[in-house]
Amino acid sequence: MTAEYLNAGRPLGTLPAHHRDLPAGLDGFSDERHAHSLKAVVDHLAAVLPALESLRAEADHLARWGVELAGRLLAGSRLLAAGNGGSAAEAQHLTAELVGRFDGEREPFSAISLHAESSAVTAIANDYGYDQLFARQVRAHGRRGDVLILLSTSGKSPNLLHAVEAARAAGIITWALTGPAPNPLSCCVDDYVAVEAASANAQEGHLIALHALCRAFDSEVRRYREERS
């Protein structure tokens, strides 16, 4: 939001009527304040570029994930996904793309976000502790040949590390999207893609990686269906 927008048709230093109940010190707008805010935005956007370059280097890696995931889900396996906070939202974004659709018509595929069932989440956290939140669900829902994808910018979340242990015992493939590697999560999964960027930008990179994965997945599903039509 620019100073020109905020002050359109009014003197610099005033805000629209609906902003006039702001606390003292926030109820005006100045060139100096705008400069600080603008620098914060520009710096953040500049920091996105390393995340994009890091992902560009992983393009082949993401394409192979998409092909393998398509093969497994076409054969009847399931994707399980988990993360904490913003990473949970991105895990759910991925499962929605698979159960619904990405950008083209195709059949739905089985995919579960392990944070999304609130009653199970609160019961497990209450009875077994937050560290076991995902591991118990992996043991409940996962079967040999399924894929568990874990998202974490730090790669240090204990509940994700316990989920990997549960998946390994069940014969489930484990992948991770993380921030800079090595980290504990990248060191214990079967495969990982690390976004070499600051935490917030790595998380933005994860969403781009998930969309890239979906494109590769849909492309492989389409190829498979066309070969058999």
Side-chain angles (χ1 to χ4, degrees):
M1 187 177 292
T2 66
E4 289 79 5
Y5 173 84
L6 284 172
N7 293 285
R10 63 184 67 88
L12 186 65
T14 66
L15 285 174
H18 62 280
H19 286 165
R20 289 176 189 162
D21 59 351
L22 290 171
L26 296 177
D27 54 357
F29 202 87
S30 67
D31 288 339
E32 181 181 0
R33 286 176 61 194
H34 174 64
H36 284 295
S37 298
L38 179 60
K39 182 178 185 304
V41 170
V42 170
D43 288 349
H44 177 83
L45 295 176
V48 173
L49 297 178
L52 289 173
E53 289 305 312
S54 178
L55 282 175
R56 189 186 301 274
E58 297 285 0
D60 181 68
H61 203 155
L62 291 168
R64 286 187 282 109
W65 276 13
V67 171
E68 181 173 354
L69 185 63
R72 289 181 179 277
L73 269 57
L74 283 163
S77 292
R78 169 180 292 154
L79 175 74
L80 305 177
N84 294 288
S87 294
E90 296 196 334
Q92 193 167 355
H93 188 122
L94 173 60
T95 57
E97 303 285 22
L98 294 174
V99 176
R101 65 176 186 178
F102 182 50
D103 60 3
E105 286 297 333
R106 56 154 167 73
E107 66 267 49
F109 291 94
S110 182
I112 300 175
S113 294
L114 300 181
H115 72 281
E117 189 182 345
S118 59
S119 294
V121 164
T122 53
I124 294 167
N126 185 64
D127 294 344
Y128 299 96
Y130 197 74
D131 285 0
Q132 294 300 315
L133 176 62
F134 299 131
R136 190 165 180 84
Q137 293 185 78
V138 167
R139 291 194 291 272
H141 298 303
R143 301 292 182 267
R144 181 171 296 276
D146 287 350
V147 177
L148 171 66
I149 186 166
L150 303 167
L151 292 88
S152 173
T153 57
S154 71
K156 298 177 182 177
S157 302
N159 55 11
L160 300 182
L161 299 176
H162 285 299
V164 174
E165 295 172 2
R168 183 178 298 115
I172 297 167
I173 303 299
T174 54
W175 296 343
L177 284 172
T178 77
N183 56 67
L185 186 57
S186 71
C187 291
C188 71
V189 292
D190 294 312
D191 201 4
Y192 71 92
V193 169
V195 179
E196 301 291 335
S199 180
N201 302 112
Q203 194 163 77
E204 292 161 339
H206 288 174
L207 181 57
I208 296 171
L210 293 179
H211 280 172
L213 173 61
C214 287
R215 289 210 180 277
F217 177 90
D218 279 8
S219 176
E220 178 62 12
V221 169
R222 187 163 51 251
R223 184 200 64 78
Y224 178 88
R225 293 302 183 208
E226 288 173 352
E227 282 188 356
R228 284 155 182 78
S229 61

